[in-house]
Amino acid sequence: FYAFDPNAPTKEVSPGLWKLQIVADKIVFETEASKGVTVTTDKTEYARGESVMITLENRAEVAKEHSPWYSIERFVDNSWTRVPYITCPCNALCNAPPGILQSGERRQEGWNQKEGFCDNFKEVSSQAVPGRYRVMITVNNVGDTQENWETVYSKEFVIK
């Protein structure tokens, strides 16, 4: 599918020859019976401060290991940016091992829409701003080498 809007911003690729226009920020191909790990949210729209329920499901026939924490990304200035949040106490060294998700297993966890970081061993947090978001996690077959990790994204959701 190609579309061109003469009023939309363009970028010259080669002076005077071609102009490139972005008509979609992402393309996702998904099979109905996905055989890998999926990441979903319980809704597509949330009010500010409403808990986002995240579900991680392993539809593969083998166990999968995953990064210890999921990441939340926000769409800003035509690109996805990781939202800062705290995964362990500010005064602790946290090196959590990968989690294991058995075949057929589902896990749920909520995100409270808080962004945060540590400053001088103190937590600094704020409410996530309205916008487009997605969840990201990396997965691998248990025991595979580091080169086989793949990134899995949820569908986008909106905070109003």
Side-chain angles (χ1 to χ4, degrees):
F1 170 71
Y2 294 94
F4 184 77
D5 177 356
N7 299 319
T10 60
K11 178 181 177 185
E12 282 195 62
V13 176
S14 182
L17 294 178
W18 300 95
K19 288 191 177 190
L20 173 66
Q21 181 181 26
I22 298 172
V23 292
D25 59 88
K26 73 174 188 175
I27 298 173
V28 176
F29 297 99
E30 209 173 84
T31 62
E32 282 186 29
S34 176
K35 285 294 192 181
V37 172
T38 60
V39 180
T40 57
T41 57
D42 61 327
K43 295 168 50 175
T44 57
E45 274 188 23
Y46 297 88
R48 277 190 89 197
E50 182 180 3
S51 184
V52 177
M53 187 56 63
I54 300 163
T55 301
L56 182 63
E57 182 176 5
N58 182 4
R59 297 179 181 177
E61 295 176 4
V62 297
K64 297 281 189 173
E65 58 185 338
H66 59 86
S67 49
W69 298 284
Y70 57 82
S71 294
I72 304 292
E73 295 181 333
R74 179 176 43 243
F75 196 71
V76 178
D77 295 330
N78 291 323
S79 66
W80 289 100
T81 305
R82 191 170 291 189
V83 171
Y85 72 100
I86 299 169
T87 55
C88 63
C90 288
N91 60 353
L93 293 175
C94 295
N95 264 342
I100 303 293
L101 198 62
Q102 298 299 326
S103 177
E105 185 178 356
R106 288 174 57 130
R107 283 202 198 126
Q108 289 189 314
E109 187 173 336
W111 175 51
N112 62 3
Q113 294 190 22
K114 292 288 184 189
E115 299 183 16
F117 59 93
C118 294
D119 183 20
N120 252 353
F121 300 109
K122 291 191 183 347
E123 182 179 328
V124 178
S125 67
S126 62
Q127 178 66 48
V129 299
R132 293 166 48 196
Y133 290 81
R134 69 182 180 185
V135 182
M136 185 272 291
I137 194 161
T138 55
V139 298
N140 193 9
N141 290 337
V142 172
D144 273 3
T145 62
Q146 290 293 343
E147 297 87 41
N148 292 329
W149 285 87
E150 67 177 305
T151 303
V152 179
Y153 296 98
S154 71
K155 292 183 179 178
E156 291 181 28
F157 59 92
V158 175
I159 296 175
K160 296 266 183 180

